[in-house]
Amino acid sequence: MIDRRALLAGLAASAALGGAAGLVRLGSAPAYAEALAPPGEAASGRTVNATLVAAERPRALPCFGGVRLPMWTYSPSLPVPVIRLDHGDRLQARLVNRLPRPEEHTSIHWHGIRLPNDQDGVPYLVQPPVLPGESFDYAFTPPDTGTFFFHSHCNTTEQLGRGMVGVLIVDGDTTEPYDADEVVLLRDWRVNLEGGAFRPMVTLRGAGRAGSYGTVRSANGAVNPSIALPASADCRLRVINCDPTRVMDLRIEGAEACIAAVDGVAIPPVPFDGWQTGPAMRFDLVLRSPRSGRSASLVDVGGDERVELARFAGTGPDIRAGAFDPRPLRAARVPEPDLAAAEPLAFTFADDSGLALPEATTPPGFLGALCLSKASFWTINGQMWPEGGHEAPPPPLAELTLGRSYRAALTNRTLYDHPVHLHGHTFKVLGSDKTRLPVHYADTVLLRPEETVEVAFVADNPGDWMLHCHVLEHQETGMMAYLRVA
Ligand code: C2O
Ligand code: CU
């Protein structure tokens, strides 16, 4: 057990010294495999077109046990659409809103992609909301390879809760092909299977605490599916937690595995001994699959009981006989923050105790009703996002200078977990005062209760970029802000 008082004293002392020497730091990353082409040079000249039609599509996913539920999805493909690009490809995606509710506007946020601000999909802040009957065209060339996903950015609790999510994979990071490449999309569903209906996605009880948990857990739309892999092979598993709420403590049982990338960004493969995976967090594993006829499991040990989420079954002849020594992925071209010159920032995630309720700022008209926070519970640096929702943005939480390096201390002063996400940038996770993590890059980092995590990044992408908790009910009840880079 960590002695909290000693820890806080240590932190205070290191803060007084002007640094953060009290944070746990591990050695710098060992040499990577040959790096990716720089973003500017990666253009392939190829454009990939996608049409995403947000609509109600009643479906019986395997995890619904044959019951049809009024899902909202981007396409008829189940469980979700997967868009695959090669590094350097341009994505041209048309979003069409055919949602059945007259006021239900939407947009697409391409989570983790370092794209131009006007393609970031945050309604009101960077683009107009897309009303039913309307469409919006996105176009960008992702600068990085890896495993990403996309979702809406208003009423996300319900839109994602009913199924509106998709996977975006940018290929081109392997140094030698793996023997298989599978997406493992983890999420719960808040459903009442007897009644064939979704449960309310937002509850006051959940929003003010850890969030409203789902009632059915799933991997790729099924309960504990068996995923066939070639036997005794080095298989890439792209694990995505796209749950609105649940933090998972994921382990592999019955096989050797290495973690090869976090939030799409390669790290030198290190043996996988579990990863605390909050909503929106991803990691790529290389798993030496079991021999033919045997299986391994992905389990969540974060709750009261161990839950098996998916099984991996070895099938066919053994592919590899040698020791498990997986090939690394190519190093990313995320700009390296200059830690010596970095300007310090501090963001504290807290509840609203002691804060007076702000005047309601809801503008007249029906658009206001959808993004409207139902209540406010959470703050960043003592400010809560105004109850008007996205359409009444407050001033930026911080104004950053384009091109400058920043190191930000992210502190959780609550009893609950907060996976904190910054748009448009990929940050380096420098260390935590609670958890030991390998040095890695991420777009979302988990803050456990009373934990401080330090991250650093180069503010190289101009625009207004959201900084928020990815427990969607926390985001929608105050724990949301934005940084202006100019
Ligand atoms: Cu995945 Cu602002 O979100
Ligand atoms: Cu949160």
Side-chain angles (χ1 to χ4, degrees):
M1 276 306 285
I2 300 170
D3 179 337
R4 279 251 316 124
R5 207 167 309 158
L7 183 76
L8 288 177
L11 271 183
S14 62
L17 290 172
L23 299 184
V24 175
R25 286 183 203 293
L26 297 185
S28 59
Y32 281 82
E34 179 196 343
L36 291 173
E41 287 170 21
S44 66
R46 198 168 77 115
T47 295
V48 172
N49 287 290
T51 304
L52 299 162
V53 182
E56 183 163 308
R57 298 184 178 88
R59 289 286 187 281
L61 283 183
C63 61
F64 299 158
V67 176
R68 271 157 60 102
L69 285 166
M71 292 180 69
W72 289 359
T73 59
Y74 286 119
S75 85
S77 53
L78 290 176
V80 296
V82 177
I83 298 175
R84 242 183 146 119
L85 308 178
D86 281 327
H87 192 218
D89 288 354
R90 185 170 175 79
L91 174 63
Q92 210 160 283
R94 168 162 295 184
L95 164 67
V96 181
N97 184 351
R98 296 233 176 88
L99 291 171
R101 208 182 273 153
E103 301 160 21
E104 196 71 36
H105 63 77
T106 193
S107 62
I108 295 181
H109 170 54
W110 309 90
H111 184 114
I113 304 283
R114 299 187 298 128
L115 40 56
N117 196 227
D118 61 358
Q119 304 300 303
D120 194 43
V122 179
Y124 303 102
L125 200 66
V126 305
Q127 70 159 90
V130 182
L131 287 159
E134 294 182 348
S135 67
F136 190 88
D137 292 321
Y138 296 90
F140 54 89
T141 304
D144 306 309
T145 52
T147 305
F148 303 95
F149 78 121
F150 54 93
H151 57 78
S152 73
H153 220 276
C154 216
N155 197 23
T156 316
T157 314
E158 179 174 15
Q159 293 186 4
L160 190 152
R162 284 171 169 255
M164 272 167 65
V165 69
V167 172
L168 174 58
I169 291 172
V170 185
D171 282 315
D173 53 3
T174 52
T175 48
E176 215 177 74
Y178 297 113
D179 303 320
D181 184 331
E182 298 280 342
V183 170
V184 185
L185 189 79
L186 303 175
R187 64 162 300 169
D188 305 353
W189 300 89
R190 278 181 62 75
V191 291
N192 177 352
L193 291 179
E194 298 74 56
F198 287 104
R199 297 186 184 209
M201 304 289 176
V202 180
T203 64
L204 278 185
R205 190 184 161 78
R209 294 180 176 79
S212 304
Y213 288 100
T215 54
V216 170
R217 305 200 58 179
S218 73
N220 297 346
V223 177
N224 196 13
S226 178
I227 297 172
L229 296 176
S232 196
D234 287 355
C235 303
R236 180 178 194 168
L237 303 177
R238 301 171 184 268
V239 179
I240 303 172
N241 177 356
C242 73
D243 195 65
T245 310
R246 189 184 296 275
V247 176
M248 307 180 195
D249 187 354
L250 298 171
R251 308 286 164 96
I252 291 285
E253 292 177 356
E256 280 185 283
C258 279
I259 187 162
V262 179
D263 286 359
V265 187
I267 59 172
V270 285
F272 179 69
D273 64 352
W275 199 260
Q276 299 277 357
T277 315
M281 295 168 69
R282 296 93 62 208
F283 58 83
D284 289 39
L285 294 182
V286 184
L287 174 110
R288 174 61 62 86
S289 57
R291 312 196 57 162
S292 202
R294 302 190 175 229
S295 74
S297 315
L298 176 68
V299 298
D300 176 9
V301 297
D304 295 338
E305 57 193 44
R306 166 190 170 280
V307 178
E308 190 174 64
L309 296 170
R311 281 163 293 144
F312 304 105
T315 51
D318 287 358
I319 304 282
R320 289 176 194 252
F324 180 54
D325 181 21
R327 294 287 300 158
L329 294 168
R330 288 185 201 284
R333 292 277 184 175
V334 176
E336 188 62 27
D338 176 354
L339 294 183
E343 205 171 291
L345 297 168
F347 299 119
T348 299
F349 298 78
D351 62 28
D352 66 349
S353 50
L355 206 68
L357 271 187
E359 292 288 311
T361 48
T362 319
F366 65 83
L367 273 184
L370 177 66
C371 292
L372 182 68
S373 308
K374 288 89 191 162
S376 290
F377 296 113
W378 307 102
T379 62
I380 307 178
N381 286 2
Q383 293 178 36
M384 58 172 65
W385 190 273
E387 296 214 359
H390 283 56
E391 65 271 28
L397 186 66
E399 301 198 35
L400 312 187
T401 305
L402 184 63
R404 183 168 291 178
S405 290
Y406 291 86
R407 58 196 297 166
L410 310 174
T411 299
N412 179 357
R413 284 278 172 260
T414 77
L415 300 173
Y416 303 99
D417 291 331
H418 303 291
V420 171
H421 172 47
L422 173 63
H423 286 207
H425 297 77
T426 301
F427 46 75
K428 186 173 194 174
V429 179
L430 299 175
S432 153
D433 62 359
K434 286 253 163 120
T435 346
R436 288 192 158 259
L437 295 169
V439 169
H440 67 280
Y441 296 80
D443 53 63
T444 308
V445 70
L446 184 65
L447 303 183
R448 308 314 302 264
E450 296 294 345
E451 181 178 21
T452 293
V453 171
E454 213 193 8
V455 304
F457 60 96
V458 182
D460 66 341
N461 201 353
D464 288 343
W465 300 106
M466 303 299 285
L467 173 75
H468 64 84
C469 177
H470 224 287
V471 170
L472 300 176
E473 286 167 286
H474 292 175
Q475 175 189 1
E476 291 176 0
T477 56
M479 199 174 266
M480 176 161 77
Y482 67 95
L483 308 182
R484 175 163 293 163
V485 176

PDB file of all heavy atoms in Angstrom, residues 417-419 469 471 474 479, ligand 2:
ATOM      1  N   ASP A 417     -12.860   6.705 -11.164  1.00  0.00           N
ATOM      2  CA  ASP A 417     -11.894   6.703 -12.268  1.00  0.00           C
ATOM      3  C   ASP A 417     -12.305   7.706 -13.338  1.00  0.00           C
ATOM      4  O   ASP A 417     -13.503   7.843 -13.642  1.00  0.00           O
ATOM      5  CB  ASP A 417     -11.869   5.319 -12.937  1.00  0.00           C
ATOM      6  CG  ASP A 417     -11.262   4.251 -12.049  1.00  0.00           C
ATOM      7  OD1 ASP A 417     -10.403   4.576 -11.222  1.00  0.00           O
ATOM      8  OD2 ASP A 417     -11.653   3.072 -12.216  1.00  0.00           O
ATOM      9  N   HIS A 418     -11.313   8.339 -13.957  1.00  0.00           N
ATOM     10  CA  HIS A 418     -11.596   9.219 -15.087  1.00  0.00           C
ATOM     11  C   HIS A 418     -10.579   8.987 -16.203  1.00  0.00           C
ATOM     12  O   HIS A 418      -9.411   9.357 -16.059  1.00  0.00           O
ATOM     13  CB  HIS A 418     -11.556  10.697 -14.667  1.00  0.00           C
ATOM     14  CG  HIS A 418     -12.506  11.014 -13.555  1.00  0.00           C
ATOM     15  ND1 HIS A 418     -13.875  11.012 -13.722  1.00  0.00           N
ATOM     16  CD2 HIS A 418     -12.290  11.304 -12.252  1.00  0.00           C
ATOM     17  CE1 HIS A 418     -14.448  11.310 -12.567  1.00  0.00           C
ATOM     18  NE2 HIS A 418     -13.516  11.483 -11.657  1.00  0.00           N
ATOM     19  N   PRO A 419     -10.998   8.380 -17.305  1.00  0.00           N
ATOM     20  CA  PRO A 419     -10.124   8.293 -18.475  1.00  0.00           C
ATOM     21  C   PRO A 419     -10.147   9.641 -19.191  1.00  0.00           C
ATOM     22  O   PRO A 419     -11.174  10.044 -19.739  1.00  0.00           O
ATOM     23  CB  PRO A 419     -10.764   7.188 -19.319  1.00  0.00           C
ATOM     24  CG  PRO A 419     -12.199   7.144 -18.892  1.00  0.00           C
ATOM     25  CD  PRO A 419     -12.272   7.677 -17.496  1.00  0.00           C
ATOM     26  N   CYS A 469     -13.340  13.874 -19.758  1.00  0.00           N
ATOM     27  CA  CYS A 469     -13.412  12.498 -19.279  1.00  0.00           C
ATOM     28  C   CYS A 469     -14.199  11.688 -20.298  1.00  0.00           C
ATOM     29  O   CYS A 469     -15.178  12.168 -20.865  1.00  0.00           O
ATOM     30  CB  CYS A 469     -14.097  12.450 -17.921  1.00  0.00           C
ATOM     31  SG  CYS A 469     -14.286  10.752 -17.339  1.00  0.00           S
ATOM     32  N   VAL A 471     -15.695   8.772 -19.560  1.00  0.00           N
ATOM     33  CA  VAL A 471     -16.916   8.167 -19.003  1.00  0.00           C
ATOM     34  C   VAL A 471     -18.004   9.139 -19.455  1.00  0.00           C
ATOM     35  O   VAL A 471     -18.049  10.290 -19.021  1.00  0.00           O
ATOM     36  CB  VAL A 471     -16.848   8.055 -17.470  1.00  0.00           C
ATOM     37  CG1 VAL A 471     -18.201   7.669 -16.885  1.00  0.00           C
ATOM     38  CG2 VAL A 471     -15.790   7.031 -17.066  1.00  0.00           C
ATOM     39  N   HIS A 474     -19.909  11.387 -17.245  1.00  0.00           N
ATOM     40  CA  HIS A 474     -19.109  12.438 -16.590  1.00  0.00           C
ATOM     41  C   HIS A 474     -18.896  13.594 -17.562  1.00  0.00           C
ATOM     42  O   HIS A 474     -19.013  14.761 -17.199  1.00  0.00           O
ATOM     43  CB  HIS A 474     -17.748  11.897 -16.151  1.00  0.00           C
ATOM     44  CG  HIS A 474     -17.820  10.891 -15.039  1.00  0.00           C
ATOM     45  ND1 HIS A 474     -16.710  10.218 -14.576  1.00  0.00           N
ATOM     46  CD2 HIS A 474     -18.867  10.452 -14.292  1.00  0.00           C
ATOM     47  CE1 HIS A 474     -17.069   9.403 -13.598  1.00  0.00           C
ATOM     48  NE2 HIS A 474     -18.372   9.519 -13.409  1.00  0.00           N
ATOM     49  N   MET A 479     -17.598  17.411 -16.816  1.00  0.00           N
ATOM     50  CA  MET A 479     -16.152  17.186 -16.872  1.00  0.00           C
ATOM     51  C   MET A 479     -15.638  17.273 -18.311  1.00  0.00           C
ATOM     52  O   MET A 479     -15.233  16.288 -18.923  1.00  0.00           O
ATOM     53  CB  MET A 479     -15.804  15.841 -16.239  1.00  0.00           C
ATOM     54  CG  MET A 479     -14.334  15.740 -15.856  1.00  0.00           C
ATOM     55  SD  MET A 479     -13.963  14.241 -14.953  1.00  0.00           S
ATOM     56  CE  MET A 479     -14.111  14.777 -13.261  1.00  0.00           C
TER      57      MET A 479
HETATM   58 CU    CU B   2     -14.889  10.713 -15.388  1.00  0.00          CU
END
